[in-house]
Amino acid sequence: MQKIDAIVVGAGFSGLYMLYRLRELGLTARGYEAGDDVGGVWYWNRYPGAKCDIESVYYNYTFSEELLQEWTWTTRYPDQPAILGYLNHVADRFDLRRDIEFRTRVVSAHYDEGARRWVVLTDRGETLVARYFISGVGCLSSSNTPGFRGLETFEGEQFHTGNWPHQPVDFRGKRVGVIGTGSSGIQAIPEIAVQAEHLYVFQRTPQFSTPAVNRRYEPEYISQIKANYGEVKRAMRESWAGTPRRLPSLSALEDSDEGRQRTYEQAWSAGGWLLSTYKDIVTNAEANETVCEFIREKIHGIVRDPEVASRLAPRHQYGVKRPVLDTNYFETFNRDNVTLVDVKADPIVAITPDGLRTRAQAYGLDTLVFATGYDAMTGALFRIDIRGRQGVTLKDKWGDGAAIRTYLGVATSGFPNFFTITGPESPSVLSNMVVSIEQHVEWISDCIAYMQARDIEVIEPDSQAEAGWSKHCKEVADTTLLPKGESWYTGANIQGKRMSFPIYLAGVGTYRTICDRVAANGYEGFTFQTAAAAAV
């Protein structure tokens, strides 16, 4: 039984930086990763068209000036190979692989109250004992395939966008069915359509998607960013979403019809999300409807068949489901070899050996692609048997997602010395994840350094502080429209799962200020136990 200071689960952005910081503290740490190599979600998400929706010059670590200067992104939005290449470069540069066990899953982590240690078991039968147990599993790493009747009978190829083969999939001459039109589906569908003999898109809920307008970076722009990265970094950390873009002060309802149309047209042409065009898009339903109507009109202007355009035009509010960036998504439905199937009106009743059957029609398919997303926020954590004090499981405490309670999204009472990087009730998925990851890793490592310097054995959130934080998160979320929709934000995509809105919406700058204040005040809201007191 090996004894170490810390165990880190995952080798994506979170796990790599956490291992680096623990090593800087002089602690013994071990990372565990199910994949063959580093990358986290970007190791698994290799589907055609996979890209990040944060601009690449902001989607990187900022802790090392040397790393910032030596790495150069080539396109505005980085694709999966580029991001994976970047993470491999980071792992090589800082020699991080020597602290990681690949092809290994953590299956359980139980807190031993007597020893004040975490006892961790892997799927290789290895047992480890560690003072700190740190999750870097990510918010979107537990892929979800709905339990369609007859799924096991399908005789063709089937793939999930969240667990794609490492070799390219050849769709030429094949009848392909893509189930799901979230971000991964919207990115993959145009790429698959170019190859497939015929593509059937099985859509349950139409999505708001806007052009990415991806392009290659000019060398002059990259030079300017690198020369000014100190200011860029400051702006990212102080912003709402973790990018330097500032929210405007003007309401959509205060602008004239002509001014609003001009603003939306400029934003559409420039590429990116339209959430930041006005200050009240996510807080005022009437303001939100103005951008919804603009995007619906764009869809009708792009898609030639009016009936198909109507089925592609969303009716929910913009932003209550994750907005998507695309390249030629709506244009793809003008192709003769693409058919849109509305499975809300005509539900899928079964997967068959040679395709699938809706209530009204059978579709012959050679290949099925499930773009059905993830069990987000808590799914990857719940796949590990995590037990805190008195053997209470994390899943029991959070009521299968119905009553999530954390303090700052980084820890939860009853689970001492357990930290969650970008956990529930932090900005996480509604921010630039790398900015939020860096902030959490630095806060956790600073906290551990504080404990080490004071001979503190155990840290745990106070239950009242935790309740106060969860109440505050809900109050902030309720000032917006976002909790009102059915989305993976709230677990609505997973049968039987419902949870409160587990994302902190006051912004990464505000959140950082709160976390810094907690630390400056001696980690207020946490309880401590020193090694001397524990020995009594």
Side-chain angles (χ1 to χ4, degrees):
M1 185 179 296
Q2 186 179 359
K3 295 182 179 181
I4 55 177
D5 292 316
I7 288 173
V8 179
V9 187
F13 275 99
S14 297
L16 292 179
Y17 189 34
M18 192 74 249
L19 286 171
Y20 173 85
R21 291 283 296 205
L22 290 168
R23 186 189 291 174
E24 291 290 292
L25 291 176
L27 300 181
T28 57
R30 201 78 188 143
Y32 288 88
E33 167 58 50
D36 294 336
D37 207 338
V38 301
V41 69
W42 296 109
Y43 174 86
W44 301 103
N45 280 240
R46 299 167 183 255
Y47 61 86
K51 289 183 179 65
C52 180
D53 55 13
I54 299 292
E55 293 188 44
S56 58
V57 291
Y58 312 132
Y59 195 74
N60 42 223
Y61 295 118
T62 62
F63 70 87
S64 167
E65 179 64 25
E66 293 78 10
L67 180 61
L68 282 169
Q69 294 301 323
E70 70 192 20
W71 182 265
T72 299
W73 298 103
T74 58
T75 59
R76 181 186 186 189
Y77 293 102
D79 60 17
Q80 180 271 337
I83 299 170
L84 188 60
Y86 173 73
L87 289 171
N88 274 276
H89 173 75
V90 171
D92 291 339
R93 193 187 195 286
F94 299 107
D95 190 22
L96 296 172
R97 287 185 181 83
R98 64 182 166 92
D99 291 328
I100 304 170
E101 292 284 346
F102 294 107
R103 297 176 291 280
T104 307
R105 290 185 182 275
V106 170
V107 296
S108 68
H110 295 179
Y111 186 68
D112 183 332
E113 295 187 61
R116 299 173 303 283
R117 294 292 187 273
W118 283 92
V119 180
V120 175
L121 178 68
T122 74
D123 61 355
R124 292 189 173 191
E126 182 181 13
T127 301
L128 301 100
V129 176
R131 176 177 294 184
Y132 305 106
F133 181 58
I134 303 171
S135 168
V137 297
C139 304
L140 296 169
S141 58
S142 180
S143 60
N144 169 57
T145 301
F148 292 113
R149 184 163 64 90
L151 179 59
E152 71 286 352
T153 70
F154 184 63
E155 295 176 355
E157 299 174 304
Q158 55 179 286
F159 308 99
H160 193 289
T161 52
N163 190 9
W164 201 260
H166 289 199
Q167 300 303 318
V169 176
D170 187 358
F171 296 104
R172 289 176 298 178
K174 294 178 180 177
R175 301 163 301 169
V176 182
V178 174
I179 301 176
T181 53
S183 182
S184 62
I186 285 174
Q187 289 182 340
I189 283 164
E191 300 284 334
I192 296 172
V194 172
Q195 285 192 45
E197 176 185 304
H198 201 95
L199 173 63
Y200 296 91
V201 177
F202 297 93
Q203 169 193 272
R204 183 176 183 274
T205 304
Q207 302 289 341
F208 283 109
S209 186
T210 54
V213 190
N214 200 16
R215 60 178 180 269
R216 292 190 66 82
Y217 280 136
E218 295 294 334
E220 295 79 10
Y221 176 76
I222 292 295
S223 297
Q224 182 183 17
I225 287 286
K226 288 187 175 186
N228 295 284
Y229 220 100
E231 178 60 25
V232 172
K233 177 179 176 178
R234 183 197 61 77
M236 289 162 62
R237 291 183 166 209
E238 293 177 0
S239 68
W240 184 84
T243 64
R245 190 168 187 175
R246 293 181 179 272
L247 285 174
S249 58
L250 183 65
S251 162
L253 303 179
E254 294 169 348
D255 206 352
S256 66
D257 291 347
E258 296 80 7
R260 195 166 51 241
Q261 184 71 15
R262 185 165 55 250
T263 295
Y264 290 151
E265 288 285 358
Q266 289 172 347
W268 182 274
S269 299
W273 295 353
L274 273 65
L275 286 174
S276 57
T277 47
Y278 293 100
K279 70 176 183 179
D280 51 356
I281 295 297
V282 298
T283 58
N284 184 294
E286 188 179 353
N288 188 278
E289 181 58 24
T290 65
V291 72
C292 292
E293 189 55 33
F294 173 82
I295 298 173
R296 292 185 196 116
E297 289 177 0
K298 283 292 185 183
I299 294 169
H300 279 275
I302 293 168
V303 180
R304 291 193 290 265
D305 186 324
E307 183 181 342
V308 173
S310 293
R311 282 186 274 145
L312 287 167
R315 308 314 303 179
H316 56 268
Q317 292 167 321
Y318 181 53
V320 301
K321 294 179 182 291
R322 174 79 172 190
V324 183
L325 300 186
D326 74 83
T327 300
N328 297 326
Y329 174 64
F330 295 113
E331 290 85 347
T332 298
F333 292 93
N334 291 328
R335 296 178 63 95
D336 293 337
N337 70 327
V338 176
T339 300
L340 178 66
V341 182
D342 181 355
V343 297
K344 183 169 281 187
D346 185 18
I348 297 170
V349 295
I351 306 296
T352 61
D354 60 353
L356 66 76
R357 189 171 68 252
T358 65
R359 195 163 51 197
Q361 189 172 343
Y363 296 87
L365 301 171
D366 304 300
T367 305
L368 271 173
V369 174
F370 293 95
T372 46
Y374 301 89
D375 185 353
M377 310 305 295
T378 59
L381 286 168
F382 287 170
R383 289 189 179 183
I384 304 171
D385 178 19
I386 302 173
R387 300 181 183 236
R389 294 191 186 277
Q390 300 177 348
V392 174
T393 70
L394 187 64
K395 190 171 183 178
D396 284 342
K397 183 191 172 179
W398 286 348
D400 201 11
I404 290 173
R405 293 287 184 271
T406 75
Y407 186 41
L408 306 178
V410 74
T412 189
S413 65
F415 294 77
N417 292 6
F418 172 48
F419 297 104
T420 52
I421 302 170
T422 63
E425 298 185 331
S426 73
S428 65
V429 295
L430 282 173
S431 69
N432 176 351
M433 287 294 294
V434 185
V435 169
S436 289
I437 285 166
E438 275 196 322
Q439 186 259 332
H440 260 190
V441 168
E442 289 162 6
W443 192 94
I444 292 166
S445 56
D446 288 347
C447 178
I448 290 174
Y450 177 93
M451 293 172 66
Q452 298 288 113
R454 291 161 179 78
D455 199 29
I456 294 171
E457 187 89 358
V458 176
I459 184 172
E460 182 180 350
D462 175 83
S463 58
Q464 287 186 324
E466 178 177 273
W469 179 253
S470 292
K471 181 173 181 285
H472 173 58
C473 287
K474 184 178 186 308
E475 288 171 347
V476 173
D478 286 345
T479 66
T480 76
L481 305 172
L482 272 61
K484 297 175 172 58
E486 288 194 355
S487 70
W488 57 257
Y489 296 150
T490 60
N493 62 317
I494 305 297
Q495 187 174 5
K497 179 180 180 179
R498 290 293 185 274
M499 56 189 176
S500 57
F501 193 83
I503 308 164
Y504 186 61
L505 289 179
V508 298
T510 299
Y511 176 78
R512 180 184 294 274
T513 299
I514 293 170
C515 291
D516 288 349
R517 185 176 65 238
V518 166
N521 291 337
Y523 295 91
E524 62 182 350
F526 288 91
T527 61
F528 297 102
Q529 186 178 22
T530 64
V536 175

